[in-house]
Amino acid sequence: MKTKLLRISIAALSLGLSSCEKFLEEQNKSGLTEDAFYGTEQGMISVVNASYSGLRTWYGKEFPLAMTETGTDLFLRGGDNKANQLSDYTVDLNGGQTNITDAWNNLYRSLNVCNTALAGLPQSPLDDAAKAQYEGEVRFLRAQYLFLIVETWGDVVLNTEPTQGIVTTATRSAVDDFYNVIFGDLDVAIANLNPAKSTDGRITQDVAKAFKARACLTRASATNDASLYSEAAALAKELIASGRYQLFDDYKAMWDMANADGGGNSEVLYYVNYTNDDLLNGDFDAVGGRGNNNHLHFIMVYDREVGMERTIGYGRPFQRYMPSVHLLDLYNEGIDQRYHGSFQTVWLATKSGMVPGESPIYPEMGFGDTAIVTLKTVATPAQVERARNRYRLIDRNNMYRADGTPALRSQFIQLSKFMDPTRLTVAQEWSSRDVFVIRLAELYLIVAEAELNTNPGEALEYINELRSTRAIPGKEIDMEITAAELSLDFILEERARELAGEFTRWYDLKRTGKLVEYVQTYNPDGKSNIKDFHTVRPIPQTQLDAIMNKDEFKQNPGYN
């Protein structure tokens, strides 16, 4: 059974939330203060463990997924989307959005826990080895939270000390200042931690190097700093060559629940762990439903079709996000195993006791027979004839109009990577699946992008090694590309094929300067609304209302 970071002290969770929130004052009848608690070995370990909790407020949750995957070229809003402002860039995408406010509060809360841990570690009763280990872990986590903050909101508040009491002013810090702290923290993490695959959810040197490769590539793209490109490539190559990780030959098998434990999955470097006992999926939310719920959001409405009723295996159809035509067309399913490894296209009849002749619409359908087939192409006459009297056929013309706008938002080709048929009940919303944050495949893509302009031959070598591994057996040569085909746009296409739905796309497009262009070209819902200022999110209005220096700290440009 995989080890989980489960126990988090109430005292640690009570640390300051955002930099400007005011809380109810309570009497401390026990006489136990946080300072005294953190001065103990147990208290220090507790606040270090609590530093991990913020990861569960982002990875595996609905609205961070909406912030990172919708509003891009890959995913459109489904029939029951709860964040159309993010997916469509509507005029009401502003500081009043609850989902953006929650993300801000959770990330600053997480940052403050890290700052509290780092402030207390030097004076703690832990031995030097434990102090070094925990400092490395917490420095990494602080870098992770700062990365998400600065890449989401830009030059906002940079806190590196614990926030205590009520703060009434806010000061902007330059993006460069954020990255100085991020890279400094990652260097400490790399120096303090051992090179190893994480098998228990804790941060290792490998995790820190993989994340630094991502951060270097992100900052290099903004600054055109050749040394950062070089470091991103070097770190990624080192981890690839370490022998501790291996690409799956079968892409679909990588997502099987038998391989859902990131610690046991050969392709996963950095992951956020979860368990099937939701009481142990601790984050900062005192209410239930805190587990990984990624599996819910990409599922279409299948249970209203003939022969179908909801099952654990097919999941709860929240229908939040659906693929764009562009995403589906990126795959050549004749040679690339990632199409059928990523999407579900066939459903079998689940109504118990159903026999052929029971349905007047599909009289040949019985229990366990094909009930629904979805096609990303227009159905041929032969396919239409094959479906007649047997099952529901939903083709491209049923799902999308000519301009790519969804004609059906409740039924579509669904992303299946995160499905969990091991949940205990049909209604269970959380999954024990770990969230894979950085996989080995991304490191190949980092090398390709970092080396594209300075060493295109090596960039081509790495992209082709990844593509040949993802080929349908016997199609390896067909999957390889030539030097003339390699470009930044091709690498972004390859990242889409490999990483769709994995909390990266909005940042990929922002990093490469392609966000507005790609949304205008490939996202029919958002193409008329997106503007240049949408490369950062609005600052929550609650933050702006709480500070006194409103003339100095204002809303991000473009937002009301």
Side-chain angles (χ1 to χ4, degrees):
M1 178 178 291
K2 55 188 176 183
T3 303
K4 296 288 183 181
L5 296 172
L6 304 174
R7 302 295 184 186
I8 300 162
S9 75
I10 294 174
L13 294 183
S14 70
L15 295 168
L17 296 180
S18 74
S19 58
C20 297
E21 288 191 35
K22 183 176 180 179
F23 299 97
L24 295 174
E25 295 182 2
E26 298 180 357
Q27 288 184 324
N28 181 9
K29 297 182 179 180
S30 70
L32 178 64
T33 66
E34 290 180 5
D35 288 343
F37 181 61
Y38 299 148
T40 67
E41 182 173 330
Q42 177 188 359
M44 199 68 250
I45 292 173
S46 179
V47 73
V48 168
N49 287 343
S51 299
Y52 281 85
S53 297
L55 297 177
R56 288 179 176 160
T57 70
W58 187 268
Y59 294 108
K61 297 302 186 291
E62 177 177 356
F63 293 118
L65 187 59
M67 292 173 69
T68 53
E69 293 294 326
T70 67
T72 69
D73 57 327
L74 303 187
F75 290 98
L76 311 176
R77 56 181 163 85
D80 197 19
N81 182 275
K82 304 298 185 183
N84 66 301
Q85 301 87 357
L86 294 168
S87 62
D88 296 6
Y89 298 96
T90 57
V91 293
D92 53 344
L93 176 58
N94 55 44
Q97 289 303 126
T98 301
N99 41 43
I100 292 176
T101 299
D102 289 344
W104 171 283
N105 288 343
N106 284 330
L107 288 172
Y108 272 103
R109 178 190 291 126
S110 305
L111 177 62
N112 201 42
V113 177
C114 292
N115 287 336
T116 300
L118 292 172
L121 269 170
Q123 293 78 38
S124 75
L126 297 169
D127 61 42
D128 290 343
K131 287 180 182 179
Q133 171 73 27
Y134 289 143
E135 182 185 8
E137 293 180 30
V138 177
R139 290 267 192 173
F140 170 89
L141 294 166
R142 184 169 73 171
Q144 164 76 91
Y145 300 135
L146 288 173
F147 177 88
L148 291 174
I149 288 169
V150 72
E151 288 301 319
T152 303
W153 289 281
D155 56 346
V156 287
V157 181
L158 173 59
N159 290 337
T160 57
E161 300 293 334
T163 299
Q164 297 179 346
I166 301 170
V167 180
T168 59
T169 60
T171 303
R172 285 186 181 269
S173 293
V175 174
D176 277 340
D177 293 336
F178 271 85
Y179 272 94
N180 287 339
V181 177
I182 290 168
F183 288 134
D185 280 350
L186 291 174
D187 287 341
V188 172
I190 290 169
N192 285 20
L193 301 174
N194 293 322
K197 175 174 171 56
S198 176
T199 58
D200 58 2
R202 303 199 81 96
I203 304 304
T204 67
Q205 186 187 94
D206 287 9
V207 178
K209 286 183 174 181
F211 187 77
K212 189 176 183 187
R214 181 189 280 185
C216 284
L217 184 67
T218 300
R219 197 66 191 133
S221 299
T223 61
N224 200 29
D225 187 329
S227 66
L228 288 175
Y229 278 122
S230 179
E231 186 170 7
L235 288 166
K237 290 177 187 177
E238 177 188 345
L239 291 167
I240 292 169
S242 71
R244 290 187 286 275
Y245 308 93
Q246 184 175 357
L247 293 171
F248 269 69
D249 293 327
D250 183 343
Y251 184 80
K252 187 172 185 177
M254 179 175 60
W255 299 103
D256 190 276
M257 282 304 295
N259 297 309
D261 176 1
N265 189 304
S266 68
E267 196 163 313
V268 177
L269 289 90
Y270 175 22
Y271 64 98
V272 177
N273 58 15
Y274 285 95
T275 174
N276 212 6
D277 184 346
D278 200 35
L279 294 175
L280 302 180
N281 285 323
D283 57 29
F284 296 120
D285 185 0
V287 185
R290 297 165 296 180
N292 176 4
N293 57 43
N294 286 357
H295 62 100
L296 299 169
H297 307 306
F298 298 95
I299 303 177
M300 78 162 199
V301 178
Y302 66 89
D303 52 349
R304 297 177 187 171
E305 291 297 312
V306 173
M308 300 300 299
E309 58 188 6
R310 190 175 300 180
T311 66
I312 294 176
Y314 286 149
R316 290 188 64 178
F318 272 33
Q319 48 164 333
R320 300 288 199 257
Y321 319 125
M322 64 179 294
S324 66
V325 168
H326 171 64
L327 174 57
L328 298 175
D329 286 348
L330 287 176
Y331 297 88
N332 180 348
E333 63 270 34
I335 62 174
D336 191 337
Q337 58 175 284
R338 288 174 296 190
Y339 179 71
H340 288 294
S342 299
F343 298 98
Q344 180 172 340
T345 59
V346 177
W347 287 255
L348 304 181
T350 60
K351 282 195 174 179
S352 179
M354 184 179 184
V355 296
E358 181 176 305
S359 167
I361 303 175
Y362 305 112
E364 297 181 24
M365 183 193 299
F367 175 73
D369 289 341
T370 300
I372 309 169
V373 172
T374 54
L375 296 175
K376 71 172 188 171
T377 56
V378 178
T380 65
Q383 288 170 323
V384 172
E385 183 59 32
R386 187 179 305 121
R388 192 184 311 278
N389 296 325
R390 296 178 59 204
Y391 53 83
R392 170 83 187 278
L393 180 64
I394 307 173
D395 75 351
R396 185 189 191 96
N397 283 347
N398 297 134
M399 291 183 283
Y400 302 97
R401 300 183 181 92
D403 65 353
T405 303
L408 290 175
R409 291 190 187 267
S410 59
Q411 293 172 311
F412 43 79
I413 296 173
Q414 68 181 39
L415 191 73
S416 60
K417 293 158 76 168
F418 311 130
M419 298 291 287
D420 181 1
T422 69
R423 292 174 303 118
L424 302 179
T425 68
V426 171
Q428 181 175 313
E429 294 187 9
W430 65 90
S431 168
S432 61
R433 177 186 292 280
D434 291 340
V435 176
F436 303 160
V437 181
I438 298 180
R439 297 190 284 107
L440 183 61
E442 183 179 348
L443 300 183
Y444 282 85
L445 295 162
I446 286 174
V447 174
E449 189 175 334
E451 299 275 35
L452 179 62
N453 294 321
T454 57
N455 194 349
E458 193 156 80
L460 183 65
E461 177 186 339
Y462 276 83
I463 207 88
N464 276 337
E465 183 174 347
L466 175 62
R467 283 179 58 79
S468 63
T469 305
R470 299 308 193 210
I472 291 173
K475 301 293 184 180
E476 290 81 4
I477 299 300
D478 296 324
M479 279 284 280
E480 293 185 1
I481 64 168
T482 65
E485 294 174 290
L486 184 62
S487 65
L488 180 58
D489 285 317
F490 184 88
I491 291 171
L492 282 171
E493 291 175 358
E494 191 65 16
R495 289 186 70 92
R497 286 183 281 263
E498 182 68 40
L499 303 173
E502 296 182 51
F503 293 85
T504 64
R505 191 59 172 184
W506 192 83
Y507 296 114
D508 288 344
L509 297 184
K510 174 183 176 175
R511 179 186 74 248
T512 55
K514 298 282 189 177
L515 179 62
V516 175
E517 174 192 341
Y518 273 37
V519 170
Q520 289 177 339
T521 305
Y522 302 117
N523 186 325
D525 292 336
K527 67 179 182 180
S528 299
N529 300 328
I530 193 168
K531 303 293 188 296
D532 289 340
F533 67 80
H534 285 128
T535 54
V536 292
R537 302 300 193 182
I539 297 171
Q541 191 61 43
T542 53
Q543 171 78 10
L544 300 175
D545 290 343
I547 59 175
M548 302 299 293
N549 60 330
K550 292 178 172 55
D551 291 337
E552 298 172 9
F553 190 89
K554 298 181 179 180
Q555 179 59 270
N556 279 335
Y559 294 105
N560 54 40

